Each structure stands twice: as C-alpha cells, then as structure tokens.
Amino acid sequence: MRLRLLLLLALCRAGPAASGRSLSLRGSWRIRSGNGSLELPGRVPGCVHSALLKRGVIQDPYYRFNDLGYRWISLDNWTYSKKFKIPFNISKWQKMNLIFEGVDTVAKVLLNSVPIGRTGNMFKRYSFDITSVVRDVNSLELRFQSPVLYAAQRSKAHTSYSVPPDCPPPVQRGQCHVNFIRKEQSSFSWDWGPSFPTQGIWKDVRIEAYNICHLNYFMFSPVYDNHTQEWSLEIESSFDVVSSQPVSGQVIVAIPKLQTQQTHSIELQPGERTVELFVKINKNVTVETWWPHGHGNQTEYNMTILFKLDGGLSIKKSAKVYFRTVELIEEPIEGSQGLSFYFKINGLPIFLKGSNWIPADSFQDRVTSDLLRLLLQSAVDANMNTLRVWGGGIYEQEEFYRLCDELGIMVWQDFMFACALYPTDRDFMNSVRAEVAHQVRRLKYHPSIIVWGGNNENEAALMMNWYNIPPRELHTYIKDYVVLYVKNIRKIVLAEDKTRPFIISSPTNGAESIKEGWLSLNPYDNNFGDVHFYDYISDCWNWKVFPKARFVSEYGYQSWPSFSTLEKVSSQEDWSYNSKFSLHRQHHANGNNEMLHQIGFHFKFPESTDPLQTFKDTIYLTQVMQAQCVKTETEFYRRSRSEIVDGQGYTMGALYWQLNDIWQAPSWASLGNQLVSPANYHFLSSLSESVGLHKAHVTAIISQQGDTFAFDLETSAVAPFVWLDVGSIPGRFSDNGFLMTEKTRTVLFYPWKPTSKSELEQCFRVTSLMDVY
Ligand code: BMA
C-alpha cells in the first residue's frame, strides 16, 4: 500500500542496470540560534520548536500563554547543519542533485561553504545541482531568516502601494504581513489558532546521483471520452537526460486487471525532456469507477510502467489508478434566477456533505499517519463525504489524500491564499507559479480531489471592501487579483489538469463572477455559486435565518473544548469562563459572549455554587448549543436540496466550519470526541421553558468487546443532551450528546490507543442537561 506513485520523488534504484543512487539526509541535524547561544540536535523532517521541546529547552508550546512566551523562537534566525559522507564513489556519477521536498521557509543553502541556492516558499520543491560542489565528506547548511522579519521586510519593500491587511486583529495575538510570505497563512495566527511561525526542513531531503538519464517525475490522469465511452490514461514522464547522445528505448504500461498492456517507443534528446503517452484502456473490460463514500466502492487498479532504455537501463514504477469523472454543473433552473452549482461524479449529481479541514497541528512533524487516519475515519463515520482543504493552511501531506482516496472522501482543494490581498511582483509570482505547477502535478492523480479553488474569501474581501480601500484605488487591487488567480494560477491549473473543475474563489458566484470580470459585486449571492454564512446574533433554532443558497461551503458556531482537554494546558487559576486564560485562547472578537448569547435563547445558565463546576457546565452548554445550531442549519441545507421556494433553493452542498482543531481553544471544530446522533427529534419549546424534567442519574456498565468498549447506560429519568466523557483517553463514542428517552441504551467507545475497562471506569463522566441546574 505504501508503494505510492508520487514519482516526483522517483529514483532509479540501484540494480543490475543501475542508473542512480540516492542518499537520504533525514534524521539528526544540528540546529543553532542566530548568535550561537543555543545549539542542539534536531530531527529532519521537523522544526525548531519541536527540537527545542524535545531537548527540554521549552515546555509544551500549547500550555497556557506559552505562545506569547515563545515568540522569540520565530523572531530568531536559525541555522540547520549536517555533516555527512557519501557512501558511494562520487566520481562515477555524471550528475548529483540535492532535493528538498519542503523547506519552511526562507533560507540560504550552502554546501561545503559554497552558496548553492535559496528557498522562499514552503510549498515548493527545491532541486539544486551540486555536481561541482559535492565531496566525499560534506557539510550542508541552511541559514534561515525569521519568517516574521522576512515578511515585514518584503512588505516594507513594496513601496508603490500597501497590500492589506497589515496585521491580524489584535485579539488573534499574531504576527503581521503573512501575505508577503509563501508559508502556511494561519501560522501567523488565525481566529481559531495561535501564532507559531515555524522554521525548519519540514519534508524529505536527499541527494540523487545519476548517469545517462533520470526520471524526475511521473504523473497521469484517467480521461473519459463521452462519445466513444472509453477510458484512457494520459501519462507524463519528465526526464533529465545527461547523456550527450539521445537515449532511446521502450515504455511498457500494464494494468493487468483491465487486460491492458501497451508498448511505446521513445527517444530522449539530451536535456530536460518530457514524454507524453496516451494509453487506451481495453474497452472489452468493465472499468469499475471510484465513488464517494455512501455511493459505491473505491475500486483501485494496479498499474506498472517500465522504461527499458539503451544500455540495459531500466526504470520500473508502479501506481494505483482510480477512474472517475467530475463535472461542476452551472445551468439555469426553472422558476429560479441564477444558475445551479453542484457536482456530478460519474454522471450522478451528489450532495456534498462534510466539513472544512485546517492544519492538524502548528507543528507538522507531529501530524502522523495514525492521527490523519483517526480524523478522516471519524469524518466518514459521521457520514460525511467531503472535506474542503481550506486555503489558509497547507497542501496536505501525501497520506491525507491517499486516505481520502481509500475512504471515498471528496476533497475541495484550495490554493493557499486566504483572507488577504496579495502582491504580484516578479519574485512573488515566479514563486507562486512554481508552487502551483508542483502541487497540481503532485496531487492530480488523486480521485478524491474533485475541485481546485483559487483562494479563500479573497473575492469577498475585495468586493465587500474588508480593508477600506478608497474606490479610486480599487482597480489596482482588482488588477492584482486577476493577475494572480486568473492569468497565472488558473492558467497553470487548466494547462496541467483537465480532469476537474477550477473555481477562482470561495465564496464565488462561479460563472456569474466570471461574467462580471472575475469578481462579482456580491460574491455571497444565493442564486449563484457557493456562500459562506455566519450569524452569531440570530437564534440558530430559527431556520428562517439561513440562506437558501446553491451551496454552502462554510457555516458554523464556536464551542469550548471539553474540560479534560483544557485541563492539560492550563492551571487552576485559569478555570473560569472569564479568566485571563479564557480570554487569551479566544481569538475571535467577542466569541465568548456570542456563545453565551446563543445559549441564552434556549437554555438556562448553570446554577452551581461551585465556580469550577460552573465553568465545566458552561463548557458543556457551549457544546450542546453548537451541536444544536449546526444540526438545525445542516438539516435546513439538506432539506433545501429538493425545493425552490420564492426562486431560491436546490442546495447541493453543506460543509460546516470546521472539522478539526489546531490547539486546545474555543473554535468552530466539532471533533478531539463526539458524533452527532443520527436519530432525530424536535423540541416543542426551548429547554429553558420546559417543565417536569428531573435530574437524571445516568450510570454505565463498561465491558470490552475486542478493541471496542460497550457502555451500557441506564438512566433514572428522561435526559436531554447526555454527554459522555472519558477524560484524556483518546477515542470516540458511536453516539454522544443524545436525548435519552429510553431507560437503557448502549453506546460504543472506539479507543485510539490501547486502554482498559478499569482506566475507562476511572475517567468516565456523564453530564446531562439537568446536571447543570
Ligand atoms: C471563515 C474561514 C476562516 C475562519 C472562519 C471562522 O472566514 O474562511 O477564515 O476561521 O470563517 O471565522
């Protein structure tokens, strides 16, 4: 399963007819602070923060106010260095490259004290020719510049006009000018996340040595011809031919399960060469398509591709191929103004139900395959079929998309531009162009990705004038917007990938935005494209406040994480709703009050005389409120699929904000331990007005069933919003936050790490509504 196609990394392995050698430079490096006062070992892939934490120089960066206390780390200019021997005879190789799959972010690269290049974009792949510099014993150095200082410097150098926003709102306690650096935009802070602008080598690094020719990358797209009703594969392989003579030979592509095998002759001229092949799939065999979760299987086919070249040189690759088509349908709807906005997969219209994905940690080296699997499996178990990889984060790691392919999760993939205007000077654009080409090539073979999106909310930022740009200056910014997203990103994407749609922004009016010159006067128009909708003021039980839009790609409400989650990053003095800590962790202006305001519509506030209990009960109510609000809103969008009322409706997507959290703080996230109950109910009044509810005594008998634990619950009275909690034991319940009307009910707990019945019994807490009064 691990043998992935990602052949950007592909290397001709040593063998009988070896064309290359590879040396990994992962593992232990030295890290030095700017003035040399700190020097320590650090892992690659990794970052300075993780290294400092591992050595005990700093404590948990997520603890209390440490995000402020550790600000010095991102303001320093760190150096990564490594000494290494080349374990093969370098004189035997015509060409040697130093490859970085990802550097975070701004660094000078020196090999044996010779500058060999610079990096400046976390999302690019870097390859440096080191043939003339490399020795048997080497010292490699990456001299980083603080990303915060670099961004400030670039912004200052942009003298012709300002590119807002300069800084995030003060409540985010973040850093400024993140739009001037090609780095995870939320790493300078967000309205749900801390400011930890990392430095480091965050992806693989290695040396590649080769003779004759080298396969730089290999990628493919399955294409369906509607007329002939046949599948074919477009395969593109890129070579660096270092031989002074042309290299010729054969390529054999085989997909045994589809009884498809084809041989092509090729001749590679010296230099960088690309070979394009068109392979027809045997039409006498039925191709099983890839389907989103809930609509069918995710059938995969094994493909091998063998290059047999002059001089006995042979390069063999294997890959998994999935077949599916995707169309974005924007067409007139009878009885309605505007256009539809929905996706057809394999010709079938599908309602996209799911959520938005943000980076899973401020420190990417902590995001393991296991963590990704748990989060993505949770999304599938909650009956989601779509995640939007939001444009303020990162293009996710390979494993993320591999899991989405396997689980049937559709991915709406943004390019990494969010809630800001961006410069378009030459350096910036060159960097963006390389980033976009690289990411499209890297990711396009994944069937899970069904749409590319140019940015998050930047059409809205401009047209709703978030940054108070004087009208006479607007044209400058509109021009920049079109240059960046239309004339560059869109152009590159369409040239590299014809198998899925591209939309410029989210929200956008789609075809209507294009018609209006790529930006619509009101990108939030319910009759076109997608909308983002947030309303913290109106009563969320009143479905009339929600937009009957074509597609809602963001909506949501905040809640606080469970006390057991907060407890780990706080101390006793922090445990109240208005503590300094509670205000510090809240990055959304007035967010804590908005939650109380929303609770007030339907619930009484906690009545305990114990301040800690009141804090816990308030947290519980924020979660109950969030679950109810998101439920009501989601149900409204699902219902709106099949109706047009007053010309509005045919909603075909609901992606709430947001699936996961980056740290322990109030946010819009819904996962870390509950699933929304699949059973439905309707309250006849607000819970604050209900009479006759008794305090429910809920008990549980826990038993182990293989890897799963059954919680046999029994209640003494009807219990609304039964909330199960097992403290810091990671895992999830099959059901949580439910209305218990029957005397007994069994809920399953799926642990994410091995645990025991007695451990669970010790940590188990249950809360239901009347407990807080
Ligand atoms: C939208 C998102 C994010 C933000 C969220 C909640 O604006 O695109 O930028 O975190 O709302 O405010």
Side-chain angles (χ1 to χ4, degrees), residues 564-583:
S564 51
T565 303
L566 285 176
E567 199 180 8
K568 282 181 268 173
V569 291
S570 55
S571 74
Q572 218 171 334
E573 68 214 87
D574 302 327
W575 299 338
S576 67
Y577 199 74
N578 292 317
S579 70
K580 213 174 133 207
F581 172 80
S582 297
L583 295 176

Side-chain angles (χ1 to χ4, degrees), residues 190-192 390 419 456-457 534 554 657 668:
W190 213 261
D191 62 0
W192 36 255
W390 165 79
C419 303
N456 174 74
E457 296 186 342
Y534 295 95
E554 277 190 26
W657 187 267
W668 295 254

Side-chain angles (χ1 to χ4, degrees), residues 384-668:
M384 296 186 192
N385 64 21
T386 307
L387 291 175
R388 171 168 171 253
V389 177
W390 165 79
I394 55 166
Y395 306 94
E396 274 298 332
Q397 53 177 286
E398 187 53 22
E399 187 70 356
F400 176 91
Y401 302 98
R402 196 187 69 74
L403 284 164
C404 289
D405 293 347
E406 184 188 308
L407 295 169
I409 298 175
M410 292 178 278
V411 174
W412 172 318
Q413 178 67 50
D414 277 359
F415 286 92
M416 294 302 134
F417 301 86
C419 303
L421 306 184
Y422 287 87
T424 58
D425 56 85
R426 203 188 54 198
D427 286 355
F428 190 86
M429 290 311 299
N430 283 341
S431 179
V432 166
R433 274 193 289 269
E435 164 191 331
V436 171
H438 169 58
Q439 294 297 342
V440 175
R441 285 175 191 162
R442 181 173 85 90
L443 299 176
K444 75 171 189 175
Y445 79 96
H446 290 284
S448 51
I449 300 176
I450 61 152
V451 61
W452 301 108
N455 66 70
N456 174 74
E457 296 186 342
N458 296 348
E459 180 179 342
L462 207 44
M463 298 316 279
M464 309 317 254
N465 204 6
W466 291 0
Y467 310 120
N468 301 319
I469 295 167
R472 63 178 185 286
E473 289 169 23
L474 200 61
H475 69 275
T476 305
Y477 297 93
I478 289 184
K479 189 166 152 267
D480 277 354
Y481 183 94
V482 173
V483 164
L484 179 57
Y485 302 111
V486 182
K487 296 192 176 159
N488 283 279
I489 297 180
R490 179 175 180 271
K491 195 170 154 205
I492 295 166
V493 175
L494 296 188
E496 294 279 349
D497 180 14
K498 294 179 182 58
T499 66
R500 49 174 74 75
F502 173 86
I503 55 169
I504 300 276
S505 186
S506 175
T508 181
N509 289 346
E512 174 63 19
S513 288
I514 298 178
K515 207 166 117 190
E516 292 179 39
W518 303 103
L519 296 114
S520 261
L521 272 180
N522 170 22
Y524 293 94
D525 192 328
N526 288 342
N527 296 310
F528 295 97
D530 65 327
V531 301
H532 295 183
F533 181 78
Y534 295 95
D535 177 354
Y536 310 114
I537 304 303
S538 311
D539 172 4
C540 79
W541 286 26
N542 174 13
W543 52 266
K544 291 186 180 150
V545 303
F546 305 129
K548 235 172 159 54
R550 305 295 187 214
F551 195 111
V552 190
S553 42
E554 277 190 26
Y555 60 98
Y557 295 85
Q558 282 198 324
S559 73
W560 272 84
S562 300
F563 180 72
S564 51
T565 303
L566 285 176
E567 199 180 8
K568 282 181 268 173
V569 291
S570 55
S571 74
Q572 218 171 334
E573 68 214 87
D574 302 327
W575 299 338
S576 67
Y577 199 74
N578 292 317
S579 70
K580 213 174 133 207
F581 172 80
S582 297
L583 295 176
H584 176 75
R585 298 301 258 222
Q586 175 57 270
H587 280 198
H588 168 63
N590 206 29
N592 287 350
N593 287 333
E594 282 167 358
M595 282 183 265
L596 297 181
H597 170 74
Q598 201 54 247
I599 289 169
F601 281 117
H602 300 287
F603 301 94
K604 286 189 259 174
F605 289 100
E607 286 166 4
S608 172
T609 47
D610 170 6
L612 177 58
Q613 193 54 46
T614 304
F615 183 46
K616 290 181 182 174
D617 292 345
T618 309
I619 289 173
Y620 163 78
L621 283 178
T622 67
Q623 296 188 350
V624 167
M625 172 278 289
Q626 183 198 45
Q628 277 297 105
C629 289
V630 173
K631 173 180 184 288
T632 315
E633 191 165 355
T634 304
E635 285 173 354
F636 172 78
Y637 297 137
R638 297 296 304 276
R639 277 203 304 281
S640 302
R641 170 181 185 154
S642 45
E643 57 184 27
I644 292 283
V645 177
D646 297 333
Q648 298 204 326
Y650 282 169
T651 306
M652 280 300 278
L655 310 178
Y656 71 82
W657 187 267
Q658 72 208 59
L659 182 77
N660 54 323
D661 253 329
I662 198 164
W663 72 337
Q664 306 88 341
S667 82
W668 295 254

